[in-house]
Amino acid sequence: MTEPESTCFHCSLPVPGDIDYAVEIDGKSRPMCCPGCQAVAQAIINNGLADFYKYRTESNKSSASLIPDELINLDLYDNPVIQQNFVHAIDADVKQASLILEGIVCAACVWLSEHHVEKLPGVIHFQVNYSTHRAQLEWDERRIKLSQILKAIGDIGYLAHPLDPNRQEQIFKKERSQAIRRIAVAGLGAMQVMMLAVALYAGEYEGMDANLQRFLRWVSLFITTPVLLYSARPFFVAAIRDLKMRGLGMDVPVVLAISGAFIASAWATITNTGEIYFDSVTMFTFFLLSGRFLEMSARQRAGRAAEELVKLIPAMATKLNGSDQQVVAVSELSCGDVIIVKPGESIPTDSIVVRGSSSIDESLLTGESMPVVYHKNDRVIAGSVNIENVLELKVEALGADTVLASIQRLLERAQTEKPKLAVLADKVASYFVFALLMVAVIVGSYWWWADPQQAFWIVISVLVVTCPCALSLATPTALTAAMGQLTKLGMLTTRGHALETLAKVSHVVFDKTGTLTEGRLVLSKTAIFADKSEQQCLQIASSIEQFSEHPIGKCLLHSYAGNELFSVNDVENEAGKGMRGVINNTLYFIGNADHIRSQVSYDLNDSTFKEYQVVLADQKQVLAGFKFTDKIRASAVQTIQQLNALNIKTIILSGDQQTNVDQVANQLQVTEAYAGLTPDKKLEKLTEIQQQGAIVAMVGDGINDAPVLSKAQVSIAMGQGTQLAQASADMILLSENLQHIVTSINVGRSTRAIIRQNLTWALGYNLVALPLAAIGWVAPWMAAIGMSASSLIVVLNALRLTVPDNSSDGNS
Amino acid sequence: MNILYMLIPLGLVLLGVAIWAFMWAVRSGQFDDLEGPAHRILMDDDEPKQPDTPLQNKDK
């Protein structure tokens, strides 16, 4: 590879030096890194949307890999049976659907996609929500088809797929709008009551007409009542649920404090004695609701990201009825049916090959990086991808009997065995709450006996002063702040405990293919054995391989930087072995060494070619050898170094062959590496490590990693990994930058420090204030001020986590 | 100070109006996208006024 000379104008990736894709934008020729980016940029310019490049604030995602694979099956979305799931008919011809848009990086993307799609004839309405990356589409069925619109979006470099709006989105929307309403009522109410409270405090000093004072108190009561009944309702509901489960969560003392203070104040208002605390009640409700709203937003964001993975990919299969081909849903298949799987399609269910042979990519299931060739009577597994030739398969197992389903069961089992750290935290909280209530009861009964008139107010003071709001805010605020910070980096936290656990991690276990490596082969070495240049050999090889769907062929073609390919005659392809073809009257062979040996008359020296997966030869001699390796991620080396520096052990658990794993392990200097592991062997190995007392963070991407991911104490799935892996992970690395794992561990550690400081402060404050309140030295209004101040300190301390330089030094 | 007996209830009515307006805003989707509109305003579409829009009607 040549040194990169410039960066792609579209996606900002380096442009390899010997490549010339350019698009004229704003009167200048701009370099592009790949045909994908070129096509996208050209489509943008051709539609008169060049302003996009002025507006945008982030680089686009590379278009190289995105477009071809994902857009193959778009036509299926026009099928009315499939459309039932996500299309809503407004009238006979006008249809409406929600779409998920992938690839949106900044507001200019929204502008671009909206303008591009709204220009299409037949599109009535198209609006993108920038916060959620969801779009609303309305179109006229007579003038344009859904697949055409999706394709048009694909043309400008975004990936759109339909979303079932009934599933999650509606629940999210309802939750959100209800939370905003509650906050609005609490916030507006709190402001009003505060205003009145200021007047009342001033009245205490300056003297106030008794009637007016009474009037103001009644008004405060009037405003606070809806805040308590409507805004604070979630706390009541949660507290009642806790009590029903015979547990004591944080909501119980919150409810006791709010309702206690409210009842006391209401009593004071009605009988016109004592103090009122309506201002504390409303402010406290407002603060707590705001905190929970932030928490909910983070949770919904994670949920949406997860939903993007569950694409509504139609599970269809082509069934063979005699000579008829019929597209049916996978659920309608039965054992013994014969189905056809074309190259590029995934195999719908476990089955046996009855006709044809082809290479099949099983990397998602087994972690094996190279496709495996299957012939007649071989068994193929659901979820793997057919690469080369058309296959006729006989269905052998369906649904729960498939290998995929058995991995899923393994996953469920591992999930139930997951260490329950969160439960422990809850337990501690419930003891604390129980202790608080006991103290309140003891103090109350003492004062009831000693001075019944004071008793009520002292109990209220005790409850307010010990109200664990600082305590209940201590952990969630720190976690919310840290999660927000990590989300900005492209590290999505889907389960709350992840950060706390990450701080304590002693081992990081990696999968190899797709995690430490990019999961894509690249040409790493070319050897020339004849009187031809490297470029010439590549040109010949690429010319033949353009007729192949095999990943190595595609990769060879991609490595060939020139534009001209020879015209090839009499191309023949033998699945998984190699190809032959005639160029300028010369017959060339390309394939593995065994294939060449079987084709040519001369002798091939075994040791010379062993290293090369692909050999190019003509009828007289061997021309060249090509070696391919799965490229190690650029960020992997440094990540492992930094983890070693943090004294964290690094381990590889891979399903791939020993030699491939060893090579990566040596290059990265990981502590231990294990190869050739099936999903259940991986699980065993992990359990073994955990039994030695290790706290393990697992990083993986494939279906075969899913059970291990859920068994590890904390797990991280790659953003481009499979849905199943992401569903079982606690965090999702959307940025694909492994270094963010180190950053996350650092953020996790500082989060833990902040949580400790917060808890120490909150507990310390409570311990100091409690005796004072119990003796009767603290009037309830002082308690309320102390409580608010202590909560504020906790929140401000947590916000320190959002300052980026705080924790991520040395790895940005 | 008797005016307060009139003004404070009036304030309560305004509070009611404010809450009603808020509810309306939530119901009509004003809070659905809190980030997008801020950017959208800056990217106003002034294409038709530009003299040179070379390939604009290519896909129509």
Side-chain angles (χ1 to χ4, degrees):
Chain A
M1 285 272 145
T2 11
E3 274 299 298
E5 282 170 354
S6 53
T7 53
C8 177
F9 189 72
H10 185 72
C11 72
S12 296
L13 288 177
V15 179
D18 44 3
I19 272 179
D20 181 30
Y21 298 113
V23 175
E24 192 171 303
I25 298 168
D26 278 345
K28 269 191 201 158
S29 172
R30 312 283 190 176
M32 297 286 156
C33 66
C34 60
C37 287
Q38 186 190 30
V40 167
Q42 196 65 56
I44 293 171
I45 301 303
N46 289 354
N47 284 295
L49 298 171
D51 280 350
F52 166 67
Y53 289 105
K54 281 187 220 151
Y55 292 148
R56 68 175 181 171
T57 52
E58 305 275 337
S59 297
N60 291 63
K61 291 195 171 152
S62 171
S63 317
S65 56
L66 182 72
I67 293 169
D69 299 346
E70 304 276 4
L71 296 183
I72 291 171
N73 290 328
L74 280 184
D75 288 348
L76 279 174
Y77 288 126
D78 292 331
N79 187 329
V81 182
I82 292 168
Q83 280 197 351
Q84 270 179 0
N85 292 327
F86 56 85
V87 170
H88 173 73
I90 292 183
D91 59 45
D93 298 305
V94 179
K95 301 280 172 71
Q96 193 186 39
S98 302
L99 304 178
I100 295 178
L101 278 186
E102 285 179 41
I104 301 255
V105 291
C106 68
C109 297
V110 173
W111 178 86
L112 175 66
S113 51
E114 278 182 0
H115 280 69
H116 183 66
V117 174
E118 289 222 310
K119 271 186 191 173
L120 298 170
V123 172
I124 298 164
H125 179 70
F126 182 74
Q127 195 176 15
V128 182
N129 183 325
Y130 178 48
S131 315
T132 59
H133 299 183
R134 300 289 189 270
Q136 281 294 324
L137 172 70
E138 233 178 87
W139 76 99
D140 186 339
E141 189 86 336
R142 287 164 301 183
R143 291 168 65 200
I144 193 162
K145 279 196 278 190
L146 180 60
S147 63
Q148 290 171 317
I149 302 171
L150 296 181
K151 191 175 169 309
I153 299 173
D155 284 343
I156 49 167
Y158 304 103
L159 184 60
H161 46 88
L163 146 102
D164 186 347
N166 298 325
R167 269 209 323 249
Q168 215 177 16
E169 201 62 26
Q170 243 158 23
I171 300 169
F172 278 178
K173 211 175 155 183
K174 211 174 143 199
E175 257 184 4
R176 206 180 130 83
S177 59
Q178 208 158 41
I180 293 178
R181 281 179 200 175
R182 292 210 154 100
I183 291 177
V185 171
L188 290 169
M191 285 183 234
Q192 292 291 319
V193 174
M194 278 296 220
M195 192 181 74
L196 298 177
V198 169
L200 283 170
Y201 289 141
E204 293 273 299
Y205 261 115
E206 307 276 323
M208 188 185 248
D209 178 31
N211 276 334
L212 187 60
Q213 193 185 32
R214 239 186 129 181
F215 175 66
L216 292 184
R217 283 174 162 220
W218 274 99
V219 173
S220 302
L221 171 64
F222 180 72
I223 301 171
T224 310
T225 311
V227 172
L228 189 82
L229 294 183
Y230 178 70
S231 297
R233 226 187 114 187
F235 304 121
F236 284 93
V237 172
I240 290 169
R241 196 183 49 216
D242 277 356
L243 290 176
K244 270 192 187 154
M245 309 269 291
R246 298 183 181 280
L248 285 170
M250 281 297 180
D251 285 317
V252 177
V254 166
V255 161
L256 275 177
I258 300 180
S259 47
F262 179 78
I263 292 169
S265 312
W267 179 254
T269 308
I270 294 166
T271 59
N272 205 16
T273 50
E275 299 280 338
I276 59 164
Y277 307 99
F278 292 123
D279 49 340
S280 315
V281 172
T282 48
M283 279 307 269
F284 183 37
T285 310
F286 176 65
F287 279 140
L288 267 183
L289 279 176
S290 310
R292 297 216 173 164
F293 178 70
L294 291 178
E295 226 180 298
M296 185 192 74
S297 305
R299 188 164 44 78
Q300 290 195 346
R301 223 171 137 159
R304 281 203 189 91
E307 197 182 39
E308 267 160 42
L309 312 165
V310 191
K311 288 176 195 163
L312 284 175
I313 289 178
M316 303 298 274
T318 316
K319 190 172 144 187
L320 208 62
N321 270 344
S323 56
D324 273 7
Q325 289 189 9
Q326 193 189 353
V327 177
V328 296
V330 171
S331 53
E332 288 169 31
L333 289 174
S334 50
C335 286
D337 282 349
V338 176
I339 52 172
I340 285 188
V341 179
K342 297 187 189 110
E345 291 181 351
S346 62
I347 291 170
T349 183
D350 287 9
S351 39
I352 286 180
V353 182
V354 288
R355 192 194 289 177
S357 59
S358 176
S359 351
I360 288 174
D361 180 359
E362 292 184 331
S363 59
L364 288 180
L365 288 156
T366 61
E368 174 83 40
S369 52
M370 292 292 295
V372 182
V373 185
Y374 283 91
H375 303 286
K376 197 177 167 180
N377 293 333
D378 285 343
R379 227 178 149 219
V380 293
I381 304 172
S384 46
V385 181
N386 181 17
I387 291 176
E388 268 173 330
N389 302 317
V390 178
L391 282 178
E392 266 177 44
L393 306 171
K394 195 171 92 192
V395 176
E396 228 212 0
L398 285 162
D401 300 328
T402 58
V403 175
L404 190 62
S406 72
I407 295 184
Q408 251 155 350
R409 277 198 295 275
L410 212 56
L411 167 77
E412 276 162 29
R413 210 187 65 209
Q415 265 171 348
T416 55
E417 288 168 4
K418 182 146 200 145
K420 294 195 169 59
L421 285 161
V423 178
L424 187 75
D426 279 355
K427 241 183 189 162
V428 173
S430 80
Y431 286 133
F432 178 79
V433 169
F434 182 71
L436 275 188
L437 294 180
M438 288 312 291
V439 168
V441 168
I442 292 167
V443 169
S445 30
Y446 168 77
W447 280 100
W448 187 255
W449 170 75
D451 185 358
Q453 272 207 315
Q454 293 264 3
F456 184 71
W457 295 110
I458 287 177
V459 170
I460 289 298
S461 287
V462 167
L463 275 181
V464 172
V465 107
T466 57
C467 162
C469 42
L471 205 63
S472 61
L473 288 173
T475 315
T477 46
L479 285 180
T480 310
M483 282 181 202
Q485 193 57 26
L486 286 178
T487 306
K488 276 188 211 150
L489 289 174
M491 186 80 159
L492 207 65
T493 316
T494 56
R495 293 196 184 108
H497 77 86
L499 273 171
E500 283 172 275
T501 319
L502 208 54
K504 292 182 278 187
V505 154
S506 64
H507 289 60
V508 179
V509 176
F510 290 94
D511 170 51
K512 186 184 74 75
T513 316
T515 305
L516 285 176
T517 67
E518 288 180 352
R520 255 200 327 263
L521 291 171
V522 286
L523 182 60
S524 59
K525 194 173 167 190
T526 311
I528 307 297
F529 302 108
D531 190 22
K532 277 194 191 314
S533 73
E534 194 179 320
Q535 195 65 16
Q536 278 172 316
C537 289
L538 259 178
Q539 195 177 6
I540 297 167
S542 306
S543 304
I544 303 175
E545 289 287 3
Q546 63 180 310
F547 299 99
S548 166
E549 289 292 326
H550 197 277
I552 282 197
K554 280 188 174 166
C555 162
L556 203 62
L557 202 61
H558 194 76
S559 316
Y560 173 60
N563 291 322
E564 289 160 40
L565 291 173
F566 296 116
S567 64
V568 191
N569 300 322
D570 304 328
V571 182
E572 273 174 47
N573 187 358
E574 205 173 326
K577 288 181 177 164
M579 302 177 73
R580 59 195 280 179
V582 178
I583 299 171
N584 294 337
N585 297 325
T586 316
L587 180 60
Y588 290 100
F589 306 98
I590 184 164
N592 60 26
D594 290 334
H595 173 71
I596 307 287
R597 202 170 289 125
S598 68
Q599 302 275 331
V600 298
S601 48
Y602 54 85
D603 238 14
L604 259 80
N605 187 347
D606 226 19
S607 58
T608 321
F609 303 111
K610 211 177 160 196
E611 199 187 336
Y612 304 98
Q613 289 105 324
V614 176
V615 175
L616 176 70
D618 59 18
Q619 278 171 305
K620 294 187 215 93
Q621 58 183 336
V622 174
L623 301 175
F626 303 102
K627 185 182 172 185
F628 297 87
T629 40
D630 191 357
K631 206 164 112 191
I632 292 177
R633 278 181 202 274
S635 54
V637 183
Q638 260 191 314
T639 305
I640 303 282
Q641 273 173 8
Q642 285 168 356
L643 286 176
N644 287 341
L646 287 173
N647 248 340
I648 293 171
K649 291 209 170 64
T650 47
I651 298 173
I652 294 180
L653 295 183
S654 174
D656 208 353
Q657 295 160 11
Q658 190 75 47
T659 46
N660 295 348
V661 175
D662 283 347
Q663 197 192 351
V664 174
N666 286 336
Q667 207 171 334
L668 293 176
Q669 298 186 317
V670 295
T671 324
E672 289 166 51
Y674 302 94
L677 301 173
T678 54
D680 46 332
K681 281 272 154 51
K682 276 193 178 184
L683 203 55
E684 255 172 48
K685 196 84 217 166
L686 181 84
T687 319
E688 206 177 288
I689 300 168
Q690 283 178 327
Q691 271 163 2
Q692 293 160 12
I695 294 180
V696 178
M698 169 80 201
V699 191
D701 72 318
I703 289 170
N704 61 330
D705 299 319
V708 207
L709 282 172
S710 37
K711 183 74 194 290
Q713 276 96 339
V714 56
S715 51
I716 302 164
M718 302 303 282
Q720 280 173 1
T722 53
Q723 309 162 13
L724 197 58
Q726 302 194 332
S728 46
D730 303 315
M731 303 177 95
I732 301 171
L733 185 54
L734 293 174
S735 66
E736 303 267 305
N737 184 346
L738 291 173
Q739 281 200 328
H740 289 160
I741 294 173
V742 185
T743 317
S744 306
I745 292 178
N746 284 331
V747 171
R749 287 182 177 183
S750 42
T751 307
R752 194 172 55 157
I754 296 264
I755 290 177
R756 278 192 184 158
Q757 291 162 10
N758 278 353
L759 288 177
T760 316
W761 164 259
L763 283 173
Y765 160 78
N766 277 353
L767 287 180
V768 171
L770 181 62
L772 295 180
I775 310 168
W777 282 9
V778 180
W781 65 269
M782 290 187 223
I785 290 175
M787 176 190 82
S788 310
S790 121
S791 305
L792 197 65
I793 288 173
V794 163
V795 171
L796 290 177
N797 193 28
L799 286 179
R800 288 198 302 147
L801 281 168
T802 56
V803 183
D805 292 332
N806 198 16
S807 59
S808 52
D809 29 285
N811 51 55
S812 49
Chain B
M1 280 305 196
N2 280 341
I3 190 71
L4 279 178
Y5 291 103
M6 213 259 284
L7 284 181
I8 288 176
L10 201 65
L12 287 184
V13 172
L14 286 179
L15 177 70
V17 171
I19 288 178
W20 175 84
F22 216 96
M23 297 293 174
W24 170 83
V26 173
R27 207 168 37 240
S28 65
Q30 303 283 326
F31 288 91
D32 285 357
D33 184 0
L34 294 177
E35 293 163 70
H39 297 278
R40 212 180 284 269
I41 190 81
L42 296 174
M43 292 172 196
D44 211 37
D45 196 6
D46 48 3
E47 268 172 320
K49 289 174 205 152
Q50 284 177 0
D52 48 357
T53 46
L55 292 159
Q56 203 186 356
N57 48 9
K58 184 151 185 179
D59 69 332
K60 292 228 166 154

